[in-house]
Amino acid sequence: MHQHVLPGPDYTGGKDSAPLAVLDMLRYYTAQHALPFCDHKPPTPQDTAWTSLYHQLTGR
């Protein structure tokens, strides 16, 4: 599913982030990020921002 918003401070705020939100995002991307989008369109800038955040947080 394409993302419609950029990652906000709950995910990128460091010590001010929301740990449960970050863990939910990591769980989702661990399970889903390698799957193609069902509409077969390329990633949006928002999709790319979330993927970059995932890679930044996991070191992958």
Side-chain angles (χ1 to χ4, degrees):
M1 171 161 112
H2 290 282
Q3 300 299 316
H4 299 286
V5 297
L6 294 170
D10 281 349
Y11 303 93
T12 61
K15 66 178 178 69
D16 295 325
S17 65
L20 292 178
V22 173
L23 290 172
D24 280 344
M25 183 273 295
L26 291 172
R27 178 188 54 80
Y28 174 83
Y29 270 85
T30 298
Q32 306 292 328
H33 82 278
L35 297 175
F37 293 106
C38 61
D39 63 3
H40 305 289
K41 293 182 180 178
T44 64
Q46 292 88 344
D47 296 325
T48 303
W50 283 99
T51 301
S52 294
L53 177 61
Y54 174 82
H55 290 290
Q56 176 187 349
L57 294 173
T58 62
R60 294 183 181 179

